[in-house]
Amino acid sequence: TKLMFHPATNSSLQKTSSDLLATSGDYLRLWEVRENSVEALSLFNNSKTSEFCAPLTSFDWNEIEPKRIGTSSIDTTCTIWDIERGVVETQLIAHDKEVYDIAWGESRVFASVSADGSVRIFDLRDKEHSTIIYESPQPDTPLLRLAWNKKDLRYMATILMDSNKVVILDIRSPTMPVAELERHRAGVNAIAWAPRSSKHICSAGDDTQALIWELPTVAGPNGIDPMTMYSAGYEINQLQWSAAQPDWIAIAFANKMQLLRV
């Protein structure tokens, strides 16, 4: 359900950190990518009673503390793993329904979205409480994806199931979005903030469009228009904005992947 390379090299795993790959699906797994092979390093299973676990919908690798990976699952939980020690740091019942995505903000703060239609923020220093910062306008409309703005942690973005909207949230003013980007003509499937700009975000969807938006200081009465658009000709399922090469965005559609120059 997701792939990520190790986000940094300054950990005790640094001998191989640039070649470490994590994947989620039936379990969270860690791999070492070598020149001629890919070797399985670890399989993380938190189930004490069964050889099976609830499928993982997504995960996020903590950039500030790369020993931490947070996973989200259909069993309503989020699990925080210490991958260096191979142990669970904590497991939280995060939502009332399936958790579809998770994103780190700081070293101990993460957020998640769920089929229950809420965005919740958690702090590992206070595991008993969470803050709901947004709920779907129509009750129980699932939220599918979450992206936290790494250049300005006040902002995050989420998308709703079968909706053409990208919802921009400011964690200082819960419940009311600061902007809703509504120029897609069909459901949005993927979102990614620019790696080196706090004001730009890319979205892609079933209308075949990849759109780049610049968020204004104040949204006008007629909404926000994208600054750039690209049509792939097919429904776009996924996108990534390269952190190492911020002029490039990758999109996936049909049986193709394309690299777009921003």
Side-chain angles (χ1 to χ4, degrees):
T1 49
K2 191 170 180 180
L3 305 152
M4 277 186 87
F5 280 101
H6 193 291
T9 55
N10 55 351
S11 75
S12 62
L13 291 164
Q14 62 187 10
K15 295 187 294 295
T16 60
S17 60
S18 59
D19 299 317
L20 284 183
L21 177 72
T23 62
S24 60
D26 51 353
Y27 299 101
L28 176 67
R29 298 169 190 261
L30 211 55
W31 312 80
E32 184 180 355
V33 182
R34 300 176 185 164
E35 243 175 76
N36 300 312
S37 65
V38 180
E39 304 294 331
L41 286 184
S42 311
L43 183 151
F44 300 94
N45 180 12
N46 192 31
S47 175
K48 305 288 188 290
T49 56
S50 164
E51 60 180 304
F52 305 105
C53 75
L56 304 178
T57 52
S58 188
F59 74 95
D60 196 24
W61 208 323
N62 193 315
E63 290 182 14
I64 302 158
E65 292 263 9
K67 67 175 187 176
R68 279 195 185 111
I69 289 180
T71 61
S72 55
S73 172
I74 64 168
D75 67 2
T76 76
T77 67
C78 289
T79 305
I80 309 303
W81 290 92
D82 182 328
I83 61 168
E84 291 181 1
R85 294 191 296 139
V87 298
V88 171
E89 197 171 330
T90 188
Q91 185 173 44
L92 303 164
I93 296 175
H95 289 266
D96 303 324
K97 293 184 177 179
E98 300 96 321
V99 190
Y100 286 141
D101 205 4
I102 181 171
W104 289 101
E106 302 167 39
S107 64
R108 293 186 176 89
V109 179
F110 68 90
S112 57
V113 291
S114 162
D116 66 13
S118 68
V119 179
R120 304 188 188 199
I121 296 180
F122 299 84
D123 191 324
L124 295 179
R125 293 160 292 198
D126 182 10
K127 298 171 190 165
E128 301 302 311
H129 302 97
S130 66
T131 305
I132 297 177
I133 65 159
Y134 178 72
E135 292 185 285
S136 302
Q138 283 78 36
D140 286 344
T141 301
L143 301 177
L144 301 182
R145 288 285 168 259
L146 178 69
W148 206 321
N149 188 329
K150 292 299 197 296
K151 286 293 166 190
D152 190 338
L153 291 171
R154 296 172 297 179
Y155 297 104
M156 55 176 68
T158 187
I159 54 178
L160 297 83
M161 180 179 279
D162 300 327
S163 168
N164 72 328
K165 284 197 298 194
V166 179
V167 180
I168 308 296
L169 306 170
D170 183 335
I171 64 175
R172 298 166 301 176
S173 54
T175 69
M176 279 301 292
V178 291
E180 292 186 332
L181 312 178
E182 300 186 74
R183 296 299 186 256
H184 279 285
R185 296 189 297 274
V188 181
N189 295 324
I191 45 175
W193 290 98
R196 296 186 189 169
S197 163
S198 62
K199 294 211 173 296
H200 295 91
I201 189 169
C202 184
S203 59
D206 285 346
D207 60 355
T208 79
Q209 304 281 323
L211 307 178
I212 296 179
W213 313 78
E214 181 174 13
L215 303 181
T217 309
V218 179
N222 300 319
I224 301 165
D225 288 323
M227 57 182 288
T228 312
M229 59 176 61
Y230 173 78
S231 179
Y234 294 89
E235 298 171 354
I236 303 173
N237 303 309
Q238 185 58 278
L239 74 92
Q240 290 288 330
W241 201 323
S242 172
Q245 304 282 343
D247 290 341
W248 293 90
I249 291 174
I251 58 172
F253 58 91
N255 62 349
K256 297 186 175 71
M257 189 183 83
Q258 281 185 351
L259 297 176
L260 309 178
R261 190 76 181 258
V262 177

